[in-house]
Amino acid sequence: MKLLTYSINHTPARLGFLDGEMIIDVEKLGRTMQAPMPDNMLDFIDLGQEGLNALTLLYNSASKEQLLDNSLPIGNATLLAPIPRPRKNIFGIGLNYTEHVAESARTLDTSKELPQQPVIFSKPPSAVTGHDSDIIHNQKITQQLDYEVELAVIIGKGGKNISKENAMDHVYGYTVINDISARDCRRAGQWIVSKGQDTFAPMGPVLVTKEEIADPQNLNLSLTVNGVEKQNSNTKFMLFNIADLIHDLSTVFTLDVGDIIATGTPAGVGAGRDPQEFMWPGDVVEATVEGIGTLRNTIVDSEEDSK
């Protein structure tokens, strides 16, 4: 199922799912069918597989008229991030593709040796934005705004010390994230200022539940800037796969329902190019992951720059 969070003319966010080119509102459909359903993504994820089963049953039981009465064309809605305000920081994974390790060592002073454990950082909830929204470029802070297409994993079952063998049982679904980075904002080796600024975690356009992705370790992912391809790879080239990451993270932190893991980016980032290429106001960046969709955003000046 392709779940999404949407708004119409800046109204409060609503939970929906895609049926072709139509969005069906989950809570409204439930109300019509006299089966209460949540109106937001996190509450729905909390229901786990039972929630998905119940929604599938509602959909299959509804008449065409009932579905139409509770739907709208996708083109009439604004797609927000699937989880517009995560409960916790997003877990980011650095240096998780071999060629990206090499290019980072050349240009970002990171080690040329392959990591022996996942490299973990975080992005705060305030960094999240959605599809077709703006990414703020504060030129008083950074002159090196960069892109990173990544597969994001959403946790559906929490836990601590999760084994690799059971790790995928804890996955709810997947979305696209662009790990926006201000390369000149690292502080003493710490990354959160570089990666955690407002709008630096665009996500979307949808959350695809795990049963629709046969093999998350064999998904093409790519990124373009102004229509020119910059990244193109496959999740099979991760150094640490999704099960590895869930296991490792859960040995350090308790994973909770709704947690988000950004699994790392392949080579081709702007900082790794010769000459380096960074994004500027007016640029349009599109991040695509096979089976999920394309996340599109535009770079804009910050209000501070215009003063």
Side-chain angles (χ1 to χ4, degrees), residues 96-99 151 213 215-221 232-242 244 263-266 289-290:
N96 200 29
Y97 287 75
T98 304
E99 292 182 355
L151 173 69
I213 303 290
D215 183 1
Q217 296 299 162
N218 188 20
L219 298 176
N220 293 323
L221 67 170
N232 193 326
S233 189
N234 189 288
T235 56
K236 66 185 177 183
F237 297 117
M238 287 182 189
L239 291 173
F240 302 100
N241 65 26
I242 294 166
D244 293 332
T263 58
T265 198
V289 177
E290 180 183 0

Side-chain angles (χ1 to χ4, degrees), residues 8-49:
I8 305 173
N9 297 325
H10 307 290
T11 56
R14 302 283 301 177
L15 172 65
F17 66 95
L18 277 185
D19 183 21
E21 293 299 312
M22 302 294 287
I23 297 172
I24 299 178
D25 188 284
V26 172
E27 188 272 335
K28 290 179 180 178
L29 179 64
R31 199 185 327 148
T32 295
M33 305 291 289
Q34 299 183 339
M37 297 294 284
D39 64 1
N40 68 87
M41 187 72 76
L42 283 173
D43 284 352
F44 188 68
I45 294 174
D46 284 340
L47 298 178
Q49 189 60 48

